[in-house]
Amino acid sequence: MSDKLFEFAYEGAKGERLDKFLVTCLPDFSRARLQGLIRDGFVTVQGTVATKSGETLDNGQKVRVHIPPAEPTDLVPEDISLDVIFENEQLMIINKPAGMVVHPAAGHATGTLVQAALAHAPELEGIGGEQRPGVVHRLDKDTSGLIVMAKDERTHRWLQDQFRLHKVKKIYWALVDGAPPTPTGRVEANIGRDPAHRKQMAVVPDGKGREAVSEYHTLEKFPAHTLIEVHPLTGRTHQIRLHMKFIGCPIVADTLYGHKHPSLPLARQFLHAGSLTLTLPGEKQPRIFETPLPEDLASVLAALRKS
């Protein structure tokens, strides 16, 4: 893949941000990607390398953008079976199994969803300009369910915008220990790094961390457990797990944020991304994609109903 060079003349009121201007000129690239190009010295204004995304432009200034070819990565496609529930030329929606990491990280160099997806759809390579090709959102290793991956830059940006503007609706099913304080509720609690355990996240005081909001609804009650539906309005790391702990009903078998000894015979947390509602590029009406509980979670639920 060869380098690309674009040149634009800014015509407008003094003071528009450089990154904002480039978003209008290069709609196939996300604002984050363009900011990265600015940061890495690939953008010039009047022949001078830009140093800040927030640099302001004057009328008539010429802006040049050098798009380097996607950097080769050490990601090796792996022929791993995927449960693809929907696919077109722009994206695919996958039912991720529990135990699979979304992208390579420390301790998980192989067997990831990204490597399986690259074998299934080689065009994913380089999408998003990072070593997480096609990834728009993530699921924890031991959370099963629906995840969407983009196949081209325009779709990647489209999906990023859909998530940023809260136009994507994700519904998770969770079995929790005990019961939430009310059958239906909303949790607003900021999330940030746990100061005592830097590899974990935690609910933090207002003014710290990042805003996190989840809504939940009770589906079924048992003597010591409750099946709930959770709709996260933001997408923070470990959000649902932390919010359930915060309101006093941690997710069953979540040994990181819940009880160290699971209350039911389950090898991973009872959390499944069962429904995803989003508008596909080029369409006007949202579509709903769903996948049922996997066998390990369904069998635990069936046993509760019989007891």
Side-chain angles (χ1 to χ4, degrees):
M1 189 180 296
S2 61
D3 295 23
K4 295 181 181 179
L5 185 65
F6 299 92
E7 183 170 308
F8 309 100
Y10 175 66
E11 298 178 358
K14 180 178 180 179
E16 182 170 5
R17 286 176 58 107
L18 173 61
D19 57 352
K20 186 177 179 181
F21 170 62
L22 289 180
V23 166
T24 64
C25 298
L26 296 167
D28 286 355
F29 294 87
S30 69
R31 188 168 181 175
R33 176 81 187 281
L34 293 169
Q35 288 172 338
L37 291 172
I38 296 169
R39 183 178 61 250
D40 293 338
F42 290 109
V43 178
T44 63
V45 178
Q46 290 296 101
T48 301
V49 175
T51 58
K52 296 181 179 179
S53 299
E55 178 177 331
T56 56
L57 299 173
D58 292 334
N59 186 47
Q61 286 187 316
K62 292 184 178 179
V63 179
R64 299 184 74 181
V65 183
H66 171 212
I67 308 291
E71 294 184 6
T73 72
D74 55 2
L75 294 180
V76 178
E78 297 182 27
D79 188 14
I80 301 171
S81 178
L82 287 176
D83 182 9
V84 179
I85 71 162
F86 175 83
E87 182 175 11
N88 61 17
E89 293 181 352
Q90 300 163 314
L91 56 83
M92 55 184 178
I93 297 174
I94 300 166
N95 181 23
K96 185 188 85 68
M100 176 178 272
V101 175
V102 171
H103 55 76
H108 302 283
T110 61
T112 70
L113 179 68
V114 159
Q115 288 155 314
L118 281 171
H120 179 85
E123 63 269 32
L124 285 173
E125 185 172 6
I127 300 304
E130 53 188 18
Q131 293 213 11
R132 302 172 185 177
V135 174
V136 182
H137 65 121
R138 288 173 286 180
L139 293 176
D140 296 340
K141 173 188 173 185
D142 289 326
T143 298
S144 54
L146 300 179
I147 186 168
V148 58
M149 299 185 73
K151 288 185 174 183
D152 58 64
E153 290 283 2
R154 184 183 290 272
T155 302
H156 193 263
R157 186 190 172 196
W158 168 273
L159 291 171
Q160 284 182 323
D161 287 344
Q162 294 288 300
F163 277 94
R164 179 176 56 83
L165 298 172
H166 307 299
K167 293 184 177 181
V168 177
K169 183 176 182 180
K170 296 181 291 180
I171 292 178
Y172 292 72
W173 298 317
L175 186 70
V176 299
D177 288 309
T182 55
T184 298
R186 178 183 174 101
V187 184
E188 298 182 10
N190 288 11
I191 290 175
R193 284 288 169 189
D194 188 331
H197 305 280
R198 297 302 298 171
K199 292 185 178 181
Q200 297 181 26
M201 307 301 288
V203 169
V204 296
D206 290 343
K208 294 185 178 182
R210 302 180 69 186
E211 177 191 25
V213 182
S214 305
E215 296 177 341
Y216 68 86
H217 173 71
T218 297
L219 297 176
E220 195 169 354
K221 296 180 71 174
F222 303 97
H225 303 90
T226 307
L227 180 66
I228 61 173
E229 176 181 290
V230 186
H231 173 207
L233 300 181
T234 52
R236 310 305 176 215
T237 301
H238 300 170
Q239 176 174 317
I240 295 175
R241 298 163 66 187
L242 284 164
H243 277 179
M244 293 305 100
K245 174 187 178 182
F246 181 70
I247 61 174
C249 54
I251 293 174
V252 168
D254 183 354
T255 55
L256 184 63
Y257 298 115
H259 302 307
K260 296 302 179 183
H261 302 287
S263 59
L264 294 171
L266 191 59
R268 55 98 171 193
Q269 68 255 14
F270 195 120
L271 185 61
H272 179 68
S275 177
L276 185 67
T277 302
L278 75 161
T279 303
L280 302 184
E283 299 186 3
K284 294 183 178 180
Q285 296 299 320
R287 295 200 201 188
I288 300 175
F289 301 94
E290 295 182 324
T291 183
L293 286 175
E295 179 58 31
D296 62 335
L297 304 187
S299 61
V300 166
L301 200 57
L304 279 178
R305 288 168 177 157
K306 291 178 180 178
S307 60

